[in-house]
Amino acid sequence: MLDTYYRIWVDAITVERSKKGEQGNWKAFTIIPMSILQGTNLLTFIFLIRIITHGGVPVVLSFNIFRERALNTFLAGALTFFVPFVILNYLLIFYNQRYNDLIRIYRDSNGRLYRKYFLITIGVIVIPLVLRLVF
């Protein structure tokens, strides 16, 4: 499973490097979308658990730091679905330029694997939302 994770990352890195160039900010354009997709996968998983348990599991943590509810919800969502994946991805992929070793080990598939991961992730979140609206 970790093998597939690394293959998707190598594909994403290759795609972004080819767009932005070696000196560009390709790292940010790689880690941010991948972390958002992984957070979307976690959100999908939590929605499925909520459907199975009939709403017994909260979707996000609740904070009361700001007066505005929208700011509290945004902060809770970012701390639940984005920041942990940025930290994890940085440690697994970018720390000590580990991505260079991964690129040598795994071949890229010209963006096909990255594109499939994106489409499957977005497609899977639609199914629980539609089921929630129907039932």
Side-chain angles (χ1 to χ4, degrees), residues 2-3 6-7 9-11 13-14 17 22 26-27 90-108:
L2 200 56
D3 186 56
Y6 287 140
R7 287 182 191 279
W9 266 101
V10 166
D11 209 33
I13 288 170
T14 306
R17 270 179 145 172
E22 186 64 36
W26 62 269
K27 289 180 185 178
Y90 174 77
L91 293 174
L92 289 175
I93 307 298
F94 292 102
Y95 184 71
N96 285 338
Q97 297 183 348
R98 184 154 189 264
Y99 57 88
N100 288 325
D101 297 332
L102 294 173
I103 289 172
R104 276 193 301 271
I105 295 170
Y106 301 104
R107 291 186 326 134
D108 70 291

Side-chain angles (χ1 to χ4, degrees), residues 79-94:
L79 289 176
T80 304
F81 299 110
F82 182 67
V83 174
F85 292 107
V86 170
I87 293 168
L88 178 71
N89 291 329
Y90 174 77
L91 293 174
L92 289 175
I93 307 298
F94 292 102

Side-chain angles (χ1 to χ4, degrees), residues 18-72:
S18 67
K19 287 183 195 174
K20 308 289 184 225
E22 186 64 36
Q23 301 301 321
N25 52 359
W26 62 269
K27 289 180 185 178
F29 280 93
T30 306
I31 198 167
I32 291 171
M34 285 295 287
S35 297
I36 290 172
L37 289 173
Q38 291 167 339
T40 304
N41 287 334
L42 178 62
L43 180 65
T44 303
F45 182 69
I46 290 174
F47 276 149
L48 288 173
I49 290 176
R50 280 184 61 103
I51 290 170
I52 292 169
T53 63
H54 303 292
V57 177
V59 175
V60 295
L61 305 170
S62 61
F63 290 112
N64 289 320
I65 298 173
F66 304 108
R67 291 180 191 212
E68 295 294 324
R69 184 175 178 207
L71 285 174
N72 289 325

